[in-house]
């Protein structure tokens, strides 16, 4: 590209979302200096709501207003955390996931004011988290710890922890704390084989209108092929299982040295007493995600997921 152009990027107005857009802006400045970026930030229903996300339709509450601006033509490109993009339905009609950026650290992590690791916490420690996946894996590995629901962006959660009145520690995404400059608060990055991450952990997606070929090409130039394969495998599995914000589904795809793709997926009952685990390898991400989902369904994942939806 040689002609100058304006690219309008839409995003949530949370500190983390704005930091993510700055990452995209920096990549564009480095690779496409002819592009000028204008950012349109907006509050979403998920940001404004302090109750159960399921009442707003789950994770889509963090993306629908931004997606609407894209469809209406108010912006050309949106930046989402893949974790915030619903997995039980396709992208909004007329839009396409044009690129996945190189993946950041996928681990969950503990934030504890006293610097303790999660396996050092005394019985009854109150852990701030609202993710069903984390609650189920806490019950599996550390049943003496007490999950306590918490909402808000990472900054507000840290402030609630510092207030000390309801939470003794937090479980958060490592990559999210890095993005907002709070990595120093991490006291224990938890191994992915113990706390299997959420689908799409550590990954940002660039979404644009399907018929906007120039923006699609621009976004694709920022994409990472490895992140694309891994994320497609994970989200294919999630889509087949019809996973949503009530689903204790965990998964991590990793590219092996020989080029094959491995996908480990876990479905856990919320009480941690039933665990379905599958780990398979394949060359094609869609084939792999489909096969892993089928294996989980054969083990009884549908019944487990249906039960968790009513907990």
């Amino acid at each position: 590209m040689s002609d100058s152009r304006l690219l309008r990027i839409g995003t949530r107005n949370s500190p983390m979302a704005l930091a993510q857009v700055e990452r995209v802006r920096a990549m564009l400045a480095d690779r496409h200096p002819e592009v000028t970026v204008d950012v349109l930030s907006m509050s979403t229903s998920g940001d404004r709501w302090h109750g159960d996300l399921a009442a707003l339709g789950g994770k889509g509450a963090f993306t629908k207003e931004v997606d609407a601006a894209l469809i209406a033509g108010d912006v050309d490109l949106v930046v989402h955390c893949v974790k915030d993009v619903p997995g039980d339905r396709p992208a909004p009609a007329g839009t396409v996931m044009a690129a996945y950026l190189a993946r950041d650290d996928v681990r969950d992590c503990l934030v504890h004011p006293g610097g303790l690791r999660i396996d050092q916490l005394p019985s009854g420690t109150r852990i701030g988290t609202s993710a069903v996946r984390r609650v189920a894996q806490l019950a599996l590995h550390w049943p003496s710890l007490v999950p306590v629901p918490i909402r808000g962006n990472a900054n507000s959660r840290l402030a609630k922890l510092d207030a000390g009145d309801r939470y003794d520690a937090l479980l958060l995404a490592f990559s999210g704390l890095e993005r907002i400059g709070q990595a120093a608060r991490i006291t224990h990055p938890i191994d992915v084989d113990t706390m299997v991450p959420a689908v799409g952990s550590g990954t940002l997606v660039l979404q644009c209108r399907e018929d906007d070929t120039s923006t699609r090409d621009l976004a694709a130039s920022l994409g990472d092929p490895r992140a694309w394969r891994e994320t497609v495998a994970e989200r294919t599995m999630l889509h087949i299982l019809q996973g949503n914000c009530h689903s204790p589904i965990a998964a991590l795809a990793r590219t092996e040295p020989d080029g094959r793709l491995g996908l480990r997926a876990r479905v856990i009952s919320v009480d941690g007493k039933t665990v379905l685990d599958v780990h398979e390898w394949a060359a094609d991400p869609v084939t792999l995600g489909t096969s892993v989902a089928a294996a989980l369904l054969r083990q009884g994942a549908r019944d487990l997921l249906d039960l968790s939806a009513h907990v």
Side-chain angles (χ1 to χ4, degrees), residues 12 43-56 61-62 130 149-153 156-157 160 166-167:
R12 294 166 62 190
S43 174
T44 69
S45 52
D47 294 310
R48 297 187 297 270
W49 177 252
H50 297 292
D52 187 344
L53 279 179
L56 294 179
F62 291 115
S130 292
I150 189 170
R151 284 291 317 281
N153 61 47
S156 67
R157 295 188 188 200
K160 291 175 183 178
R166 192 176 181 194
Y167 308 99

Side-chain angles (χ1 to χ4, degrees), residues 199-212:
V199 166
S201 288
T203 308
L204 302 179
V205 61
L206 307 183
Q207 184 179 359
C208 62
R209 288 183 296 280
E210 192 170 17
D211 60 0
D212 186 353

